[in-house]
Amino acid sequence: MSDNKEKQRIPKDLSTVIADAIRADIVSGRLAAEQRLPSEAELAETHGVSRATVREALKRLAAQSLIRTRRGATGGAFVHRQSFEEAYADMASKATLLIGLNEIDLATACEARFALERGCMRLAAKHRESEHLEIMRREITRQKDPELSDEAFCASDVAFHRALVDAAGNPVLSWQLAAAVEGIEPLMNMITYRQRDRDAVISLHEAIVDALEARVGSKLEILIDYLRDQTLRTAHAARDSRDAARRDIPARTL
């Protein structure tokens, strides 16, 4: 029985080795974007394994979005040219997971999020386009709707700041900021939404759009600092309210 289990593990281990080797070739540039990989038969011969083992290795690479497959006479496995936009969700989900699993306190998360966003403000003022202003003003209009749910308001807040950092015109920054805006900000919204003054948030958003339209990066930095302080005050109020409610529970049950 143990021999059978060992035999079952070997192909899996070899597929990992092969996948790692191909991944290294992609990362180093030896395999370029859109380049066709050798066939399964060629890879099997090169690595001295079965085609089934190669197929498992290719599945691993596809799951990591490193390759894509195409059927037909001109088909095969190709190096996938992943865009920064495609990587946004992965960056955001990893940030959410890391913060949640490691129990990062709100002040630390808030400090990181606003420090990263603040770093984009002068570039955003310089490179913003009319479409960024249009998106942000559209979100402000949504936020002014008194019937808008808390969940929808939070989503609109994220979309507003997504447009603000995208205005910097730098895809690498936009990708990195996905962790802050789409990963950290929703967690902060979940904590603060009950205590948040929507009118105050909207007024600040309007000031940010006006400064962005006027291309005044220094003012944008000041507004981001103010938003940071406002968020922390709201978070502390939410925490105090939650703690007070917990202290009242025993008294109510007596």
Side-chain angles (χ1 to χ4, degrees):
M1 181 66 71
S2 61
D3 289 342
N4 289 336
K5 289 183 178 179
E6 185 65 22
K7 289 178 181 178
Q8 290 173 1
R9 282 199 295 268
I10 291 174
K12 183 177 181 180
D13 292 340
L14 287 174
S15 69
T16 301
V17 171
I18 295 168
D20 288 346
I22 296 174
R23 185 182 189 279
D25 285 342
I26 293 173
V27 172
S28 68
R30 287 189 291 270
L31 284 173
E34 308 299 339
Q35 183 175 340
R36 186 180 186 278
L37 271 64
S39 68
E40 287 183 5
E42 291 170 325
L43 287 170
E45 183 177 356
T46 298
H47 294 280
V49 298
S50 68
R51 291 182 64 173
T53 301
V54 169
R55 202 170 295 122
E56 181 64 28
L58 295 179
K59 286 180 181 178
R60 291 172 180 272
L61 294 168
Q64 297 172 34
S65 297
L66 290 172
I67 66 168
R68 57 180 176 78
T69 57
R70 189 171 68 212
R71 295 182 178 180
T74 60
F78 297 82
V79 178
H80 177 54
R81 186 191 298 276
Q82 187 176 27
S83 68
F84 283 101
E85 289 78 6
E86 288 178 299
Y88 286 171
D90 185 54
M91 177 70 86
S93 63
K94 283 184 177 178
T96 302
L97 186 63
L98 279 171
I99 291 170
L101 291 177
N102 290 282
E103 299 180 349
I104 301 298
D105 64 272
L106 181 72
T108 300
C110 188
E111 180 181 56
R113 177 257 167 118
F114 287 111
L116 290 168
E117 189 168 357
R118 191 182 194 275
C120 293
M121 292 303 95
R122 290 183 185 266
L123 284 174
K126 181 178 180 180
H127 297 297
R128 66 91 180 144
E129 297 181 1
S130 58
E131 64 182 271
H132 301 115
L133 300 173
E134 291 169 6
I135 292 171
M136 295 165 73
R137 293 197 187 282
R138 184 166 63 243
E139 294 304 329
I140 289 173
T141 299
R142 286 186 63 201
Q143 292 162 16
K144 289 181 177 180
D145 180 0
E147 301 300 320
L148 193 67
S149 68
D150 289 321
E151 292 80 4
F153 189 94
C154 290
S156 176
D157 187 35
V158 171
F160 177 92
H161 285 276
R162 174 80 267 169
L164 177 59
V165 300
D166 284 346
N170 187 309
V172 178
L173 279 176
S174 291
W175 167 64
Q176 291 179 321
L177 266 291
V181 175
E182 298 180 30
I184 299 175
E185 187 178 357
L187 293 175
M188 293 166 55
N189 280 334
M190 288 173 61
I191 296 171
T192 61
Y193 78 92
R194 290 185 183 277
Q195 298 291 329
R196 175 167 52 191
D197 182 341
R198 287 193 182 187
D199 290 338
V201 173
I202 292 168
S203 294
L204 190 53
H205 283 177
E206 289 178 327
I208 288 172
V209 175
D210 290 343
L212 185 65
E213 184 172 26
R215 301 186 186 277
V216 186
S218 58
K219 186 173 183 179
L220 283 170
E221 290 177 339
I222 293 171
L223 290 169
I224 289 296
D225 288 343
Y226 185 83
L227 179 58
R228 177 200 60 209
D229 296 341
Q230 181 190 75
T231 301
L232 282 172
R233 286 195 300 270
T234 304
H236 291 153
R239 182 197 59 195
D240 293 344
S241 177
R242 183 174 62 249
D243 291 346
R246 288 173 178 170
R247 288 194 298 270
D248 287 344
I249 290 176
R252 292 174 182 173
T253 56
L254 291 176

